[in-house]
Amino acid sequence: MTELVVKPVTRRRREIVAAARDLVELEGADALTMRRLAERLGIRAPSLYKHVPDKAALEAAVIATGLEDIAAVLEAAVNEASEPLVAVAAAYRAFALSQPHLYRLINDRPLPREHLPPGLEDRAAAPLLRAVQNQTRARAVWAFAHGMIMLELAQRFPAGADLDAGWREGIAALLGHARSAAT
Amino acid sequence: MTELVVKPVTRRRREIVAAARDLVELEGADALTMRRLAERLGIRAPSLYKHVPDKAALEAAVIATGLEDIAAVLEAAVNEASEPLVAVAAAYRAFALSQPHLYRLINDRPLPREHLPPGLEDRAAAPLLRAVQNQTRARAVWAFAHGMIMLELAQRFPAGADLDAGWREGIAALLGHARSAAT
DNA sequence: GTCTATAGTGGGATAGAC
DNA sequence: GTCTATCCCACTATAGAC
């Protein structure tokens, strides 16, 4: 009569996923191995398989928690600003730079969509869409932000580059274009 | 009396680097291992070490050839267009999508700058800078293009998304902003 | 310039005992 | 829920013979 037969999300499982996320953020996605994770939890790697079916499911669970946080952060930003686009962009940038390894894990490979809570991807995308009122524009803004973040994280900009100026330039351009398109 | 003592770039070495680049492009950067590369060349992995000091040098050599090609492609584009920015963006996009794994290898981690020919990084960046006449704007455009490319390669856009429209939107915005700033 | 042999490291995952 | 023992895999790199 248990309700969840296939995937009982127990407290222990949540602890494991939280530790996995910590590991990713502290040492990068490559450091997330069953052995290293077990070590962090003070157990042996094979024990993890009593709680998680395999490594892919573990990664998907970590990604889901990250997407939830992104959605929450952007929802808060879009609701408290006279310039929603500027606020959403700033919040997105702040999240990515505060948890860069998690950001990369989420965004630089295909999402494990079949293992994600339904609607979560859309929830994370909604605030920006609301800020710019247009899907195509939302995608252009997302691409600009993602590009700035990834190039900064990959240290592809020259050493002294003024990245704040780059952000202002891009957001101003996309905002200005939105304004003129609306008239 | 040989001129190059440390790094004799022999014909055999060039063949190896070319095979490495093929391997990257066919199966991704992770597939570039000494064993797989040797297999492709019909030899054994340890033999490679007679021609290349280690794997890092091999990767750097592959990256250098890719950067040369990017520079060449963008130089050609900027010289043959009435709208240099549009032409450079299109050429950059085309290069990335035609060799996606090489593009990622070059752009999603720090460049091995100490193993690259001097000036090569700048040469690859020059055409875009020439097209927009301003470093900050050039970086914003680069970020937009890089973001569009990386999100497409990572399959992060929704299935039916009109990416051409996204490109037009972003480039038009950044171009328009450049025009109004110039007046 | 290529080979064999090998060292050393690290990974995912399973079986079966407790 | 955790353990030990284990399998099988793959990787970079070196030594030394030919």
Side-chain angles (χ1 to χ4, degrees):
Chain A
M1 283 304 175
T2 52
E3 290 163 21
L4 291 169
V5 183
V6 178
K7 261 190 171 185
V9 179
T10 60
R11 193 170 73 256
R12 188 55 170 148
R13 187 180 197 269
R14 274 190 296 273
E15 290 170 0
I16 289 171
V17 172
R21 178 168 161 165
D22 290 348
L23 189 53
V24 166
E25 198 37 55
L26 286 170
E27 309 188 37
D30 287 350
L32 177 53
T33 72
M34 301 307 271
R35 284 147 140 90
R36 305 268 283 106
L37 174 57
E39 186 187 4
R40 244 186 115 68
L41 289 159
I43 62 176
R44 304 289 175 174
S47 306
L48 293 169
Y49 290 87
K50 296 290 185 184
H51 305 95
V52 171
D54 54 26
K55 200 195 163 185
L58 186 63
E59 273 188 8
V62 170
I63 288 168
T65 71
L67 272 179
E68 306 259 16
D69 288 358
I70 290 178
V73 159
L74 299 188
E75 282 159 9
V78 81
N79 283 325
E80 301 170 10
S82 55
E83 282 288 15
L85 174 55
V86 173
V88 167
Y92 190 74
R93 182 187 184 193
F95 178 91
L97 296 187
S98 72
Q99 304 191 55
H101 291 118
L102 179 62
Y103 181 85
R104 286 188 85 123
L105 177 64
I106 293 173
N107 289 301
D108 84 347
R109 67 203 74 192
L111 283 178
R113 296 186 165 95
E114 65 289 2
H115 294 114
L116 254 34
L120 178 55
E121 185 179 4
D122 288 346
R123 246 188 70 214
L128 174 58
L129 184 55
R130 190 175 146 203
V132 301
Q133 306 278 21
N134 173 300
Q135 267 203 351
T136 297
R137 200 141 48 221
R139 287 178 193 140
V141 172
W142 185 27
F144 167 73
H146 182 65
M148 286 295 299
I149 289 160
M150 292 297 277
L151 291 173
E152 177 173 3
L153 295 183
Q155 298 171 246
R156 286 303 319 273
F157 288 119
D162 184 346
L163 302 188
D164 284 2
W167 277 91
R168 281 193 301 271
E169 178 81 22
I171 295 298
L174 289 155
L175 192 59
H177 196 64
R179 290 244 174 70
S180 61
T183 60
Chain B
M1 282 303 174
T2 53
E3 289 164 23
L4 290 169
V5 183
V6 179
K7 263 190 171 186
V9 179
T10 60
R11 193 170 71 255
R12 189 56 169 149
R13 186 180 197 272
R14 273 191 296 273
E15 290 170 359
I16 288 171
V17 172
R21 179 168 161 164
D22 291 347
L23 189 53
V24 165
E25 199 37 56
L26 287 172
E27 310 188 36
D30 288 349
L32 177 53
T33 70
M34 302 307 270
R35 287 170 206 249
R36 307 269 283 103
L37 175 57
E39 187 187 5
R40 243 186 115 69
L41 289 160
I43 62 176
R44 305 289 176 175
S47 306
L48 294 168
Y49 291 86
K50 296 290 186 186
H51 306 95
V52 170
D54 54 27
K55 200 195 161 184
L58 186 62
E59 273 188 10
V62 170
I63 288 168
T65 70
L67 273 179
E68 306 258 18
D69 288 357
I70 291 177
V73 159
L74 299 189
E75 282 160 7
V78 80
N79 284 325
E80 300 171 10
S82 55
E83 283 287 15
L85 174 54
V86 173
V88 167
Y92 191 72
R93 183 188 184 193
F95 178 91
L97 297 186
S98 72
Q99 304 191 57
H101 291 118
L102 179 61
Y103 181 85
R104 286 188 84 123
L105 177 64
I106 293 173
N107 289 301
D108 83 347
R109 68 203 72 192
L111 283 178
R113 295 185 166 94
E114 65 289 0
H115 294 114
L116 254 33
L120 178 54
E121 185 179 4
D122 288 346
R123 245 189 72 214
L128 174 58
L129 184 55
R130 189 176 146 201
V132 301
Q133 305 280 19
N134 173 300
Q135 267 202 350
T136 297
R137 198 140 49 221
R139 286 178 193 140
V141 173
W142 184 28
F144 167 73
H146 182 65
M148 285 296 299
I149 288 160
M150 291 297 275
L151 291 173
E152 177 173 3
L153 295 183
Q155 299 172 245
R156 286 303 321 273
F157 288 120
D162 183 347
L163 302 188
D164 283 1
W167 277 91
R168 280 193 302 271
E169 178 81 23
I171 295 298
L174 289 154
L175 193 58
H177 196 65
R179 289 245 175 70
S180 61
T183 60

